[in-house]
Amino acid sequence: MMSDAKSSMTNQPKRSRSSFRQKNAKNGNNRAMENAKQLFCGGVAGSTAKTVTAPFSRLTILFQVHSLVTSKQNRPKFAMSFREGFGKIVERGGIVALWKGNGTSVLHRFPYSAINFFVYENMLKFLDQKEEVEEPPITSMQLVRRLSLRPDEHMEQAQRQQISSRKSKNNTTNASTKFLAGAAAGTIACIACYPLDLVRTRLTTEFEGREHYRGMVDAFRKISQQEGMKGFYSGLGPTLFVAVPNFALSYTVYGTLKEHVLDDELFYNVRRVDADSGEPKLGFWLTLACGAASGSVSTLITFPFDTIRRRMQIQNLHLAPHERLTPVQQGTAVMQKEGFFGLYRGLTPELLKVIPMVGTMFVTYEWTKEMLNVDARS
């Protein structure tokens, strides 16, 4: 009897340790699956939005680098207006030419958006946890008040507290937290995927019939041979100067508008209510509107830096080493030749691209998260 008791006592800790390890392994597998689903949602959102707006993206880049690659002998190859630009692209390569380089764009955009959304959601969760504040302890007067309530008053107060807690849950993240999370996401995604972005830009800006590269693989090989690893990160500085504030502003505006729309009774009839949880959701049109607004604001502020970074990315291809400029020199040269608004050359197709692109991206992201039952901040 004693030996059986001892045996059961020694086996109990072993069983508990084993079950603890199994539970941890299960939790780890669940978290890994959630991370994979979240990365997939971000990648699909970015790729879908990029493909939908690829023609505007290509036209924007061609306008931005127009004066850098245009000379008297090839000036007719480039357009001076938005409408003429579309016409020339279709005339030289057909409708399909509007999506030239989109394969590379999607290869870049899938990991770029996946990393971006993943880092943003997790940084937001991390920063939110640091800002959490404990509820103040209940006072004696509050306790007396609660004890004196009738049952129906207790129920009414509980409902008010539930509504209040739901509102506070939707509005716990302040703008500075969103801005920091967006900046971190933009920085990490940009550095990780920059070589693909550079190759995409070069393929997009090549002359018809005078292509320097035979495709993406050939571009990677030639850049590596002719410029080394440094060539893959040409223009990274200006790119970070664009990406960091761009994503920081975009996420901040979108998140703030989303919280406002979910909280304001003005949008009561436009919001969608989740059938299972009863929580309010943005729905298609409100998500599209919030995304479009966030994309417009961030683009208007950062577009001049985007023009400079595009020119930095292709100058190694079109200019001799002694003619290449620094980012500051690029900006100065554009303003001297074309005035201040030269930095905003291509803004029209960019806005026509950004409004549907960012809107589509957030709509697709929210939809795929809902379809795959992803709750990144749980």
Side-chain angles (χ1 to χ4, degrees):
M1 290 287 290
M2 289 289 289
S3 61
D4 290 343
K6 286 182 179 179
S7 171
S8 64
M9 288 177 68
T10 54
N11 288 335
Q12 192 173 0
K14 289 181 181 178
R15 283 198 299 269
S16 63
R17 283 197 296 268
S18 175
S19 63
F20 180 74
R21 282 196 296 267
Q22 288 174 357
K23 187 178 180 181
N24 275 351
K26 186 178 179 181
N27 289 339
N29 290 336
N30 289 342
R31 190 57 201 164
M33 180 58 70
E34 285 297 306
N35 289 341
K37 288 196 293 185
Q38 190 184 342
L39 286 165
F40 177 77
C41 291
V44 168
S47 301
T48 303
K50 196 67 179 175
T51 301
V52 169
T53 58
F56 296 110
S57 181
R58 183 168 188 225
L59 193 58
T60 298
I61 294 173
L62 291 174
F63 270 118
Q64 287 178 317
V65 301
H66 177 274
S67 62
L68 183 64
V69 298
T70 302
S71 57
K72 287 183 180 179
Q73 63 265 29
N74 59 41
R75 186 178 180 85
K77 292 179 178 289
F78 291 89
M80 300 303 292
S81 69
F82 172 72
R83 189 173 180 179
E84 188 184 352
F86 262 111
K88 280 186 176 288
I89 292 173
V90 174
E91 180 187 340
R92 293 201 300 266
I95 292 291
V96 180
L98 293 170
W99 277 268
K100 181 181 177 182
N102 188 58
T104 311
S105 293
V106 170
L107 284 174
H108 163 261
R109 185 57 57 167
F110 190 95
Y112 185 75
S113 295
I115 294 169
N116 216 312
F117 278 110
F118 181 80
V119 173
Y120 174 73
E121 296 277 17
N122 284 278
M123 277 296 295
L124 209 57
K125 180 180 176 182
F126 172 74
L127 293 171
D128 273 350
Q129 285 174 344
K130 291 179 74 70
E131 290 179 0
E132 280 180 1
V133 181
E134 293 184 3
E135 285 189 16
I138 186 170
T139 64
S140 57
M141 290 296 292
Q142 288 173 326
L143 182 60
V144 170
R145 167 65 181 155
R146 288 187 184 181
L147 291 173
S148 64
L149 291 175
R150 298 193 307 273
D152 59 329
E153 290 179 328
H154 266 297
M155 187 176 294
E156 186 180 342
Q157 188 181 54
Q159 288 174 344
R160 283 200 301 267
Q161 286 175 346
Q162 189 177 8
I163 293 169
S164 177
S165 66
R166 184 177 293 175
K167 284 187 176 182
S168 65
K169 184 179 177 183
N170 287 335
N171 293 284
T172 50
T173 308
N174 58 43
S176 62
T177 302
K178 296 190 193 78
F179 190 90
L180 287 173
T187 302
I188 293 170
C190 184
I191 293 173
C193 303
Y194 188 76
L196 279 167
D197 185 40
L198 180 131
V199 169
R200 175 180 73 93
T201 301
R202 292 194 179 185
L203 289 174
T204 302
T205 57
E206 286 187 308
F207 292 130
E208 296 287 340
R210 291 173 52 192
E211 288 86 355
H212 188 69
Y213 306 116
R214 292 194 300 272
M216 186 180 66
V217 175
D218 185 54
F220 270 102
R221 183 177 59 80
K222 285 182 177 177
I223 293 170
S224 178
Q225 290 175 349
Q226 297 169 7
E227 304 173 42
M229 278 301 296
K230 189 178 178 181
F232 287 113
Y233 286 91
S234 175
L236 177 61
T239 300
L240 287 173
F241 213 67
V242 174
V244 174
N246 190 298
F247 279 101
L249 287 166
S250 185
Y251 281 123
T252 302
V253 174
Y254 175 78
T256 304
L257 286 175
K258 179 180 177 180
E259 290 172 354
H260 176 70
V261 167
L262 289 175
D263 207 30
D264 198 316
E265 292 304 313
L266 179 67
F267 301 94
Y268 179 80
N269 292 323
V270 192
R271 291 194 297 254
R272 186 172 66 84
V273 178
D274 189 272
D276 297 324
S277 65
E279 291 186 1
K281 301 279 186 179
L282 285 185
F284 177 81
W285 292 111
L286 286 176
T287 304
L288 195 67
C290 291
S294 70
S296 301
V297 171
S298 58
T299 296
L300 287 170
I301 294 172
T302 62
F303 192 79
F305 304 107
D306 191 53
T307 298
I308 293 170
R309 85 173 176 105
R310 293 296 185 194
R311 296 169 72 93
M312 290 292 295
Q313 285 179 328
I314 70 160
Q315 69 172 349
N316 289 5
L317 190 63
H318 295 277
L319 300 176
H322 67 277
E323 295 178 322
R324 294 169 191 169
L325 306 176
T326 65
V328 174
Q329 290 171 333
Q330 284 282 8
T332 305
V334 171
M335 286 192 286
Q336 286 176 347
K337 291 179 182 178
E338 306 174 49
F340 175 75
F341 289 103
L343 293 171
Y344 280 92
R345 183 176 173 80
L347 180 64
T348 300
E350 178 68 8
L351 285 174
L352 288 173
K353 176 197 82 173
V354 161
I355 291 172
M357 179 182 167
V358 179
T360 303
M361 185 169 65
F362 279 114
V363 166
T364 307
Y365 182 64
E366 300 283 2
W367 181 78
T368 50
K369 276 176 63 180
E370 189 173 339
M371 290 297 100
L372 295 176
N373 196 26
V374 177
D375 186 6
R377 302 190 55 192
S378 61

